[in-house]
Amino acid sequence: MSIETIPAWMKELEEEDLVFIKKFVLASGSLKEVAKQYQVTYPTVRLRLDRLIQKIQMGDEQECDPYISLIKRFALDGKIDRNTAQVLIREFKKRKEGSQT
């Protein structure tokens, strides 16, 4: 498979996300098995899978503004909290709308 055929959402994932997906597939989708491999609890793996699902969905949304995509990615990665992300996006949109009038 060449780089051109890799879906855009997959290109946005970090290496650790791709490793997680590989382990998940090789474990036949068993979160219990993946938890055992990572030596963590089932809820921890479930949370990681939920965050990965959000990243993939975000990639599919094709957000038109790269700044908003970056803020969303920071929130999903836990680099900023969700409330801060919402405030940043809201203020960015206000400023953007104000500059277009």
Side-chain angles (χ1 to χ4, degrees):
M1 176 182 279
S2 68
I3 294 291
E4 294 81 34
T5 60
I6 296 174
W9 63 266
M10 191 174 275
K11 291 178 189 177
E12 295 296 319
L13 297 178
E14 297 175 15
E15 181 68 26
E16 66 186 53
D17 295 327
L18 297 173
V19 170
F20 180 85
I21 290 170
K22 181 178 179 181
K23 287 183 182 225
F24 181 70
V25 170
L26 292 175
S28 298
S30 169
L31 292 179
K32 286 183 181 181
E33 178 60 33
V34 175
K36 192 184 307 181
Q37 290 177 25
Y38 279 106
Q39 299 179 350
V40 297
T41 64
Y42 174 90
T44 301
V45 172
R46 180 73 236 184
L47 180 63
R48 184 159 183 191
L49 179 61
D50 290 341
R51 286 187 178 151
L52 183 55
I53 289 168
Q54 289 176 332
K55 281 184 181 182
I56 291 170
Q57 288 171 336
M58 187 182 76
D60 282 346
E61 287 176 3
Q62 298 293 322
E63 181 67 58
C64 59
D65 193 288
Y67 177 79
I68 293 174
S69 293
L70 177 66
I71 296 300
K72 286 182 177 180
R73 198 170 25 230
F74 279 169
L76 289 173
D77 290 341
K79 294 177 181 172
I80 61 173
D81 64 85
R82 190 178 185 126
N83 290 336
T84 302
Q86 289 172 337
V87 169
L88 290 171
I89 291 169
R90 186 172 45 250
E91 289 302 313
F92 175 75
K93 287 181 177 180
K94 280 183 193 176
R95 290 175 186 253
K96 192 172 180 180
E97 288 172 6
S99 69
Q100 292 177 354
T101 57

